[in-house]
């Protein structure tokens, strides 16, 4: 199947916007279940300094536009061939799993990380405080809640001259306490619009770039979640993920003449997140079915474990945020540190033993990776095709 040509719009770096999710906090819930049933950076530097840093960065990226992609193998003065640094784009690398993965990869000295984030200054500070060496990362602006921003990012990335060896679709929003839906720039419900549709457009456009890479193992990774899999205990905590007949998705999730929910039901922020994760896992499989054989790209998803301390839970009530980490540590024992989760995702990016395509990776108690089973819905080939076909219409690719 021929790769689709990408359409680009002219672009420039834009000052990143603040996140625009909003949610009222009332009900306390664990991925949507009432908590009782279960038993954000120092911005002290002046705006002026921030602007200067931003300008310097933009300058750096522009300077890179004159560079050409380095050959995959370099010859050392001793005549030994060494592999060039891999180049990986990670969305949502300003905190949590994305930041920990960026750090784990950068520390090996074998990867240059393009941190694709909506908040430039937050990301710059996060990278610095994580101790990521300057030469190992570049920040580029990406707001997944705007399809224009996704297209601008792709354009900026191409102009930067970096090759694309691995793309990690990691960013997400989770709005469990929202009573009313909020929307992306194009008017899609925010969770599915950001977590699925933004990433869908990004990965479809960047497939061409990945395919051009001469790196030994090129990969497209879309972060999934146990919460979208109803074959697990966590996935059975109501509200359960369910895409239904996708009438809401087909209607554009606008909440106007159609529901903001994929299945056409009443809005539920926790379910919208879980549904978006099912879309992520189905999209990975549809990529595999359509493109793995033709391109050799490895398509994979994963559940990194319950990283109870990340910003994902920022919209939850304070009591939940206080009790969730110890609950996961001492009761469910499902807790995974940000550092450990970063190592796991870094494995899926770079480990030579994790090249199998179409796989949803998980880790056992000894932190050993294994191929996990997806739920019936999250592995339904017809649903995967339908999510793909509706999504490409929504993002303007069909
Ligand atoms: N935490 C867990 O237990 C857990 C479990 C399973 C799977 N996951 C998955 O792991 C991934 C990372 O989550 P996390 O736990 O690390 O949460 P996190 O710390 O909140 O990280 C989410 C990242 O997404 C970014 N983001 C949100 N909206 C965006 C937008 N419109 N455009 C660009 N970036 C945006 C955030 O940027 P800002 O910094 O600008 O907000 C942040 O960098 C998600 O896919 C999540 O579903 C997490």
């Amino acid at each position: 199947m021929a790769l689709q040509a990408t359409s680009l719009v002219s672009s420039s770096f834009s000052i990143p916007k603040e996140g625009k999710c909003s949610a009222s906090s009332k009900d306390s819930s664990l991925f949507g279940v009432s908590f009782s049933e279960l038993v954000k950076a120092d911005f002290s530097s002046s705006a002026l300094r921030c602007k200067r840093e931003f300008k310097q960065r933009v300058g750096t990226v522009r300077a890179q536009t004159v560079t050409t992609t380095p050959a995959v193998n370099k010859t050392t003065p001793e005549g030994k061939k060494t592999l060039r640094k891999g180049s990986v784009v990670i969305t949502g690398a300003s905190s949590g799993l994305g930041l920990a993965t960026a750090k784990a990869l950068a520390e090996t000295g074998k990867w240059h990380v393009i941190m694709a984030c909506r908040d430039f200054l937050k990301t710059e500070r996060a990278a610095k405080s994580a101790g990521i060496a300057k030469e190992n990362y570049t920040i580029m602006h990406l707001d997944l809640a705007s399809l224009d921003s996704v297209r601008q990012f792709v354009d900026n990335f191409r102009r930067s001259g970096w090759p694309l060896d691995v793309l990690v679709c990691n960013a997400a929003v989770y709005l469990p306490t929202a009573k009313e839906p909020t929307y992306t720039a194009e008017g899609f419900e925010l969770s599915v619009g950001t977590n699925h549709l933004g990433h869908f457009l990004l990965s479809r456009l960047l497939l061409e770039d990945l395919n051009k890479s001469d790196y030994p193992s090129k990969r497209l990774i879309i972060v999934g979640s146990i919460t979208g899999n109803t074959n697990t205990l966590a996935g059975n905590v109501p509200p359960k993920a369910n895409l239904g007949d996708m009438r809401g998705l087909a209607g554009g999730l606008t909440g106007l003449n159609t529901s903001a929910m994929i299945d056409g039901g009443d809005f539920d922020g926790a379910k919208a997140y879980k549904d978006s994760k099912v879309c992520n896992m189905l999209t990975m499989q549809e990529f595999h079915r359509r493109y793995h054989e033709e391109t050799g790209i490895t398509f994979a998803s994963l559940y990194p474990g319950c990283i109870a301390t990340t910003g994902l839970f920022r919209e939850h009530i304070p009591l939940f945020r206080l009790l969730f980490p110890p609950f996961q540590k001492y009761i469910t024992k499902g807790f995974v540190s940000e550092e450990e989760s970063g190592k796991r995702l870094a494995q899926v990016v770079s480990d030579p033993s994790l090249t199998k395509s179409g796989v949803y990776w998980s880790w056992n108690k000894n932190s050993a990776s294994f191929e996990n089973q997806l739920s019936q819905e999250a592995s339904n080939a017809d649903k995967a095709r339908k999510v793909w076909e509706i999504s490409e219409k929504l993002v303007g690719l069909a």
Side-chain angles (χ1 to χ4, degrees), residues 94-95 97 118 122 143-144 170 273 277 307 310 314:
S94 61
S95 69
L97 177 61
R118 63 179 165 173
K122 178 179 174 182
D143 182 354
L144 287 156
N170 161 76
Y273 169 82
K277 289 282 126 187
I307 334 157
T310 71
R314 73 186 88 173

Side-chain angles (χ1 to χ4, degrees), residues 74-96:
K74 279 193 303 208
T75 308
T76 62
E78 302 82 45
K80 232 175 97 184
K81 289 220 180 244
T82 58
L83 190 64
R84 68 160 163 83
K85 265 190 182 181
S87 173
V88 54
V89 170
I90 305 179
T91 69
S94 61
S95 69

Side-chain angles (χ1 to χ4, degrees), residues 50 57 107 109 117 122 136 152 173 178 205 238 248 383 386:
C50 294
R57 275 275 152 191
E107 270 173 356
C117 297
K122 178 179 174 182
N136 290 336
Q152 279 196 359
V173 287
L205 296 178
K383 288 211 173 193
K386 197 166 172 182

Side-chain angles (χ1 to χ4, degrees), residues 160-353:
S160 76
W162 289 105
L164 181 64
D165 304 318
V166 179
L167 169 63
V168 181
C169 297
N170 161 76
V173 287
Y174 172 51
L175 308 165
T177 55
K179 298 290 171 223
E180 296 293 333
T182 44
Y183 297 93
T184 66
E186 287 77 18
F188 306 126
E189 185 282 318
L190 194 64
S191 319
V192 176
T194 305
N195 308 354
H196 167 58
L197 291 171
H199 277 135
F200 182 81
L201 179 62
L202 179 75
S203 49
R204 282 287 302 272
L205 296 178
L206 286 178
L207 186 64
E208 185 185 318
D209 304 72
L210 259 182
N211 198 34
K212 283 185 198 148
S213 160
D214 59 352
Y215 207 70
S217 175
K218 35 201 187 186
R219 307 183 188 186
L220 196 168
I221 299 155
I222 310 178
V223 177
S225 177
I226 198 171
T227 58
N229 278 298
T230 51
N231 59 343
T232 64
L233 199 61
N236 271 295
V237 172
K240 293 189 206 176
N242 178 11
L243 306 188
D245 63 5
M246 300 186 215
R247 65 182 67 183
L249 185 65
L253 303 171
T254 61
L256 292 172
N257 301 321
T258 178
S259 166
M261 298 294 291
I262 293 182
D263 65 357
D266 292 339
F267 175 71
D268 184 315
K271 181 174 183 301
Y273 169 82
K274 293 178 186 182
D275 289 350
S276 75
K277 289 282 126 187
V278 174
C279 290
N280 286 153
M281 295 179 283
L282 289 173
T283 301
M284 177 279 286
Q285 292 162 87
E286 190 63 10
F287 262 117
H288 169 74
R289 190 182 73 75
R290 289 177 184 242
Y291 295 113
H292 174 63
E293 217 173 290
E294 176 194 341
T295 63
I297 296 169
T298 295
F299 299 97
S301 186
L302 69 147
Y303 170 61
C306 183
I307 334 157
T309 52
T310 71
L312 194 66
F313 307 101
R314 73 186 88 173
E315 298 293 341
H316 243 302
I317 63 163
L319 183 65
F320 176 92
R321 296 203 305 270
L322 180 75
L323 295 178
F324 190 50
F327 174 73
Q328 288 295 341
K329 257 183 210 164
Y330 305 115
I331 296 175
T332 70
K333 306 216 187 309
F335 179 86
V336 171
S337 68
E338 294 180 33
E339 187 185 358
E340 173 60 25
S341 68
K343 285 183 188 158
R344 290 177 177 184
L345 180 46
Q347 264 182 305
V348 184
V349 169
S350 68
D351 195 302
S353 67

